[in-house]
Amino acid sequence: MLKLIVMKEGKTVQLTDKSLFDRKIKRVIISEDEIHKKIAEYGSKLSNEYEGKPLLLVSILKGAFVFLSDLTREIKIPCEVGFMAAKSYFDSTCSSGDVQIVYDLAQDISNYHVVVVEDIIDTGRTLLTIADMLKARNPLSLKILTLLDKPERRVVDLSADYSLFTIPDYYIIGYGLDFGEYYRNLPYIAEYDPE
């Protein structure tokens, strides 16, 4: 039975057909090689900037898990990793504007330099909510590193301290980013074809 990535009667249905999966990949925006070169560059920057300092990388799940994994291997100094999860998309290509923290850090961050590792900054609502929450916990410092930045979509006053790629307003998938939980496994970043 062929199942599509669509909402039917309020339910998400599964995608099981490889040819349909492939047809939804409109085009590659950033290649696997380009991603890895930039991650190596920023891993080196973070290693230099935080050498001798207690560093905590905070990944925003689920989208940033692939990015964090590769970035962590490029950081050559001691560091710790923590996870948070927020939700704002709810099986759609548009942010709902409603940000829900669904998983929070367990550790006290007041003795760490915190770098929030995000997959994409779109409207900025989700990350602003998380950044404000973390600032209230008094880390030694707080910076934001994003794989992808879509500044033309921003609706709040938020900028990343580090941004690997700035992209136009495409709905993108791959390298941890999804549509309806699919496409996270692509090794590159592509534009999703909603047609």
Side-chain angles (χ1 to χ4, degrees):
M1 181 166 105
L2 176 65
K3 296 182 180 182
L4 305 175
I5 306 175
V6 292
M7 293 294 289
K8 281 189 179 176
E9 299 169 10
K11 295 180 183 175
T12 302
V13 293
Q14 294 177 331
L15 172 65
T16 57
D17 183 279
K18 173 83 165 86
S19 64
L20 177 60
F21 178 88
D22 291 342
R23 282 196 308 268
K24 293 295 186 178
I25 301 168
K26 189 171 187 176
R27 63 190 169 114
V28 174
I29 303 296
I30 304 169
S31 73
E32 183 177 7
D33 187 54
E34 290 172 298
I35 293 167
H36 288 290
K37 284 180 182 173
K38 279 286 193 179
I39 289 174
E41 176 187 334
Y42 279 83
S44 179
K45 282 183 184 184
L46 291 174
S47 297
N48 292 332
E49 184 172 338
Y50 292 99
E51 187 172 356
K53 299 175 183 175
L55 176 60
L56 174 64
L57 304 174
V58 176
S59 175
I60 309 304
L61 297 172
K62 294 179 187 173
F65 81 98
V66 175
F67 177 36
L68 175 72
S69 177
D70 287 343
L71 177 67
T72 301
R73 286 191 294 268
E74 293 295 338
I75 294 174
K76 306 305 182 198
I77 60 170
C79 63
E80 293 181 41
V81 174
F83 295 94
M84 295 181 76
K87 194 168 184 177
S88 66
Y89 277 84
F90 308 100
D91 293 323
S92 171
T93 59
C94 297
S95 176
S96 67
D98 176 31
V99 178
Q100 296 177 5
I101 304 298
V102 295
Y103 182 78
D104 202 354
L105 284 172
Q107 67 253 64
D108 175 5
I109 65 170
S110 63
N111 292 315
Y112 291 95
H113 293 276
V114 175
V115 176
V116 177
V117 179
E118 179 63 302
D119 55 352
I120 185 167
I121 304 176
D122 190 7
T123 64
R125 288 183 189 115
T126 301
L127 195 51
L128 183 62
T129 299
I130 290 170
D132 288 347
M133 178 186 289
L134 293 175
K135 285 176 190 173
R137 297 175 187 177
N138 300 311
L140 297 173
S141 67
L142 179 75
K143 291 194 176 180
I144 296 169
L145 181 147
T146 187
L147 176 65
L148 302 166
D149 192 5
K150 282 196 219 178
E152 68 187 71
R153 295 260 309 145
R154 200 83 77 248
V155 297
V156 297
D157 185 20
L158 177 77
S159 297
D161 298 284
Y162 313 98
S163 180
L164 278 65
F165 300 97
T166 299
I167 61 170
D169 186 18
Y170 301 130
Y171 191 89
I172 50 145
I173 52 175
Y175 199 71
L177 292 109
D178 73 303
F179 179 77
E181 295 300 324
Y182 294 99
Y183 299 98
R184 293 186 194 278
N185 57 318
L186 297 177
Y188 50 80
I189 294 166
E191 183 179 2
Y192 177 76
D193 187 355
E195 302 302 319

